[in-house]
Amino acid sequence: MTELLKSWLSQGPSGHQLISFNHHDIVTGERFATQVHHLHKQLVASGEQRWLLACDSSDQFAVGLCAALLAGKQLILPANTQSGTLSELAHEFDAVLAPQPLCEGKSFLALEKEFSQPLAPWPQLPTDSDFGELILFTSGSSGSPKAVRKTLRQLDAEVTVLEQTFAKHLPHCSVIATVSHQHIYGLLFKILWPLAASRPFLSDLVEYSETLGYYTALFPNLCLVSSPAQLSLLADALGVERQIHTPSLIFSSGGPLSLETAQNIRQCYGSLPIEVYGTTETGGIGYRRQHSVKTLWRAFAPMVLDVDPTDNALLLRSPYLENDQVLRCEDKIMLVDKDLFRLEGRLDRTVKIEEKRLSLTQMEGLLNNHPWVQRSHLVLLEAPSQQLGAIVELSDYGKQQLAAEEKLSINNGLKAHLLTQFERVTLPRHWLYVDKIPTNPEGKLLRQEILQLFNHD
């Protein structure tokens, strides 16, 4: 297996490589190398080893990423920069790389575009030094954020496989994305893979169908990196009408893509999206183009799949993992052939809301810490779309507040509490306040009775 990413990171871009672009600016390899050089110099001079990296602009994020990896630093990538999230991770980092200071009492280096810096070469990694590493955080089944370590070797293995699998579909493509690079999917597909394969990427996030239309008209070959919810909204915005200008390839990941959305995107753009299945821990496991509800997933070439005979949980051996041990995943699968499989649901309390992985246990823990709440339970409601429902036993203080104020005020107060750690799109849409959450004599929750309460709400 070739070391595509490691080779690029060791040598740096050519001066004429187009790194990134938006509607008013481009970044060439020469300019990118200069920015990385100067930031790398500051990082090497700094005594701090653990740096939180957060930036909305993908080109500046990439500068911070490359400079820190070359300086041998450990990078902490938060899922978001909300106060509760940063507070929970504060013990994980010593300093911040961002456009502005995010935490009091932490060292800070600014990520900002500098046009007046003297040209400088790509930093060289000392022969006796190692590249830095990344730490991402994902919702663990226990409710606490779980640290996931990614070395350059792991990331390089995945980037190389992506190029070997899909390069023939990407002739001279530019890459644009509707997903954030702060998560593993966007990090790989929008930043690391394009850099290593010399494909320019859009430095901004695509938020509107008009923006996508502008760039598809501008670039004859374009790769769109998106998600199921965003592709569904895109198809609706386009009226499921055939478009004159189309992306060469569309990727979707972060959750299940409905057959209807897959077919609607084909109606708009003439080809089915490529769905990628995986997690933060595992990286990409398999891919498919969903021709029908029976379409199977195909494992990426290096994957070795098996199933746990007790509950059909996926057992995975992969070069993307830290070691060669078999990893048990909490996804239930049916293994049709050694590299063909069908997904059959989750086995734990981690769910996806708007493609964002969420631990129901973690959110319940935060809810239960509110003075209005005695106990809470979250359920995933499937109709009319996947949404969270919250059933809450109020404390005596909470009951007083509910009697004094409208239910909407209580809802909003609890939502504001959850917003300290969770993004708005993941919050419960339905709220029930009950004297007692339905349980059996052994204290086990009665799921069907709980769902019935929401049906009658």
Side-chain angles (χ1 to χ4, degrees):
M1 183 182 292
T2 60
E3 297 179 323
L4 188 68
L5 179 60
K6 183 179 178 180
S7 174
W8 183 89
L9 196 58
S10 299
Q11 299 171 18
S14 68
H16 299 295
Q17 178 181 339
L18 179 57
I19 301 294
S20 67
F21 61 92
N22 58 24
H23 68 283
H24 61 78
D25 187 29
I26 65 169
V27 176
T28 62
E30 184 179 63
R31 181 169 150 195
F32 186 75
T34 295
Q35 292 183 66
V36 170
H37 175 97
H38 290 286
L39 182 59
H40 174 267
K41 189 175 180 179
Q42 292 176 280
L43 286 168
V44 169
S46 169
E48 287 85 0
Q49 181 63 21
R50 304 179 304 165
W51 290 78
L52 180 130
L53 173 62
C55 184
D56 290 336
S57 177
S58 293
D59 58 344
Q60 291 306 112
F61 175 92
V63 168
L65 180 70
C66 293
L69 288 176
L70 288 164
K73 302 296 184 179
Q74 186 182 79
L75 283 175
I76 311 300
L77 268 58
N80 57 63
T81 54
Q82 289 161 278
S83 59
T85 299
L86 297 180
S87 175
E88 197 166 31
L89 299 180
H91 65 285
E92 299 283 353
F93 61 93
D94 311 306
V96 174
L97 269 177
Q100 60 278 323
L102 296 174
C103 302
E104 292 184 9
K106 301 282 188 180
S107 299
F108 167 68
L109 283 178
L111 287 176
E112 54 190 2
K113 292 187 178 181
E114 287 283 351
F115 298 96
S116 59
Q117 293 171 324
L119 293 179
W122 188 256
Q124 295 301 304
L125 186 74
T127 54
D128 59 345
S129 299
D130 293 324
F131 288 99
E133 64 180 16
L134 305 182
I135 305 289
L136 298 99
F137 289 85
T138 187
S139 297
S141 57
S142 66
S144 300
K146 177 184 175 183
V148 179
R149 176 175 173 264
K150 293 287 183 180
T151 65
L152 185 64
R153 178 197 62 78
Q154 293 168 266
L155 297 168
D156 195 14
E158 184 155 12
V159 165
T160 300
V161 169
L162 289 174
E163 179 69 6
Q164 291 171 345
T165 307
F166 300 119
K168 58 183 178 291
H169 302 292
L170 294 167
H172 308 295
C173 268
S174 299
V175 179
I176 65 175
T178 66
V179 297
S180 170
H181 51 241
Q182 295 285 149
H183 301 268
I184 189 66
Y185 171 47
L187 174 69
L188 283 164
F189 279 71
K190 188 185 181 183
I191 304 289
L192 296 178
W193 182 18
L195 282 177
S198 298
R199 295 188 186 96
F201 57 82
L202 179 66
S203 57
D204 303 328
L205 203 63
V206 175
E207 298 184 83
Y208 305 104
S209 59
E210 294 83 0
T211 308
L212 176 58
Y214 169 80
Y215 285 110
T216 51
L218 202 61
F219 294 94
N221 293 309
L222 199 67
C223 174
L224 172 62
V225 179
S226 193
S227 69
Q230 292 158 332
L231 289 178
S232 177
L233 292 172
L234 176 61
D236 290 343
L238 297 175
V240 197
E241 294 181 0
R242 185 59 187 267
Q243 303 299 297
I244 298 173
H245 304 288
T246 63
S248 301
L249 203 61
I250 300 172
F251 286 104
S252 175
S253 190
L257 184 67
S258 70
L259 177 62
E260 179 185 10
T261 298
Q263 299 299 326
N264 286 344
I265 290 297
R266 177 163 65 177
Q267 182 70 24
C268 292
Y269 291 125
S271 63
L272 288 166
I274 295 177
E275 297 175 71
V276 177
Y277 156 64
T279 68
T280 303
E281 298 96 319
T282 63
I285 296 172
Y287 62 98
R288 71 173 181 178
R289 275 185 158 140
Q290 194 176 176
H291 295 276
S292 74
V293 291
K294 296 181 179 180
T295 302
L296 298 174
W297 294 87
R298 179 175 297 278
F300 285 103
M303 303 296 126
V304 179
L305 309 185
D306 202 350
V307 294
D308 187 328
T310 61
D311 56 7
N312 288 336
L314 168 62
L315 302 177
L316 176 71
R317 178 172 279 128
S318 165
Y320 307 167
L321 301 175
E322 273 199 87
N323 53 51
D324 195 42
Q325 295 179 353
V326 173
L327 175 71
R328 175 191 160 93
C329 304
E330 293 303 315
D331 283 312
K332 185 178 178 181
I333 71 163
M334 177 184 288
L335 195 57
V336 178
D337 197 357
K338 64 181 180 68
D339 61 350
L340 292 174
F341 62 97
R342 179 177 291 111
L343 289 173
E344 297 189 329
R346 293 286 297 177
L347 294 166
D348 63 8
R349 297 197 70 221
T350 302
V351 300
K352 290 280 185 73
I353 302 292
E354 298 287 347
E355 287 76 59
K356 298 183 184 298
R357 188 173 173 182
L358 171 72
S359 166
L360 299 184
T361 305
Q362 183 184 4
M363 185 176 280
E364 286 168 359
L366 183 58
L367 259 183
N368 294 341
N369 286 335
H370 195 283
W372 295 348
V373 177
Q374 179 68 32
R375 185 187 184 196
S376 67
H377 181 67
L378 299 173
V379 294
L380 187 63
L381 306 173
E382 300 290 347
S385 61
Q386 284 198 333
Q387 299 175 352
L388 278 190
I391 184 167
V392 179
E393 289 180 20
L394 292 172
S395 64
D396 290 340
Y397 181 42
K399 291 173 183 176
Q400 294 172 13
Q401 294 298 115
L402 182 61
E405 305 178 35
E406 295 181 352
K407 178 186 174 185
L408 180 62
S409 177
I410 302 299
N411 291 357
N412 289 339
L414 294 180
K415 286 180 182 179
H417 180 60
L418 293 179
L419 279 170
T420 62
Q421 290 188 23
F422 298 94
E423 297 178 66
R424 185 172 295 277
V425 294
T426 67
L427 300 190
R429 301 286 183 89
H430 303 273
W431 295 80
L432 291 179
Y433 300 103
V434 297
D435 292 330
K436 186 167 180 58
I437 297 174
T439 58
N440 66 13
E442 288 74 39
K444 300 292 186 181
L445 292 162
L446 297 173
R447 176 174 170 76
Q448 291 306 315
E449 283 79 352
I450 291 171
L451 291 176
Q452 283 296 110
L453 291 175
F454 283 101
N455 290 339
H456 295 124
D457 181 33

